Amino acid sequence: QAQLVESGGGSVQAGGSLRLSCAASGYTYSSNCMGWFRQAPEKEREWVSSISARGGSWYADSVKGRFTISRDSARNTLYLQMRSLKPEDTAMYYCAATSYWACPSPLWSLGDYNSWGQGAQVTVSS
């Protein structure tokens, strides 16, 4: 059974950094578009970033220049390096995978991501 497991969340002060990992098992996602989403309390889940099987990457305007998505196909793992964190980045972060090598259009189309992790909490204090 395919499974995505996030790790690396935690609590940091504003300006700090964290790196989230998403380890996949039961299925090799090297040929799939994958992405990161986040959900703050009482808010809808929002798209953060996606990376295609060929390495193309895209970011939400709110994180562009501060977050970097990457993948290690050999380890079947997705990463999200987060720098210059702000209190508004506080949320539960989820990794997700599609069934295709190309990323969906629009990138934030939740329904096109059919595998999800359980989430990792990121808390940024001011």
Side-chain angles (χ1 to χ4, degrees):
Q1 182 177 354
Q3 191 174 17
L4 299 174
V5 179
E6 299 94 337
S7 62
S11 297
V12 296
Q13 291 192 327
S17 300
L18 282 173
R19 188 178 79 157
L20 299 180
S21 299
C22 173
S25 61
Y27 185 83
T28 300
Y29 286 99
S30 59
S31 298
N32 299 74
C33 169
M34 299 188 73
W36 290 96
F37 290 76
R38 66 186 182 186
Q39 187 167 18
E42 301 182 356
K43 291 190 176 180
E44 293 186 352
R45 190 167 298 191
E46 66 171 351
W47 172 75
V48 174
S49 179
S50 294
I51 185 168
S52 72
R54 294 182 178 179
S57 58
W58 298 267
Y59 300 90
D61 287 344
S62 59
V63 306
K64 198 172 295 183
R66 300 188 298 120
F67 290 11
T68 303
I69 191 171
S70 62
R71 63 196 306 168
D72 185 333
S73 296
R75 289 184 165 83
N76 208 16
T77 300
L78 179 72
Y79 302 99
L80 185 69
Q81 178 68 53
M82 303 182 292
R83 297 183 175 89
S84 301
L85 283 161
K86 304 175 181 180
E88 52 263 44
D89 294 319
T90 294
M92 185 73 79
Y93 283 71
Y94 299 90
C95 70
T98 71
S99 298
Y100 311 103
W101 70 265
C103 288
S105 179
L107 291 160
W108 51 86
S109 176
L110 284 170
D112 286 310
Y113 295 82
N114 50 24
S115 297
W116 292 83
Q118 83 292 346
Q121 179 66 40
V122 171
T123 302
V124 184
S125 58
S126 57

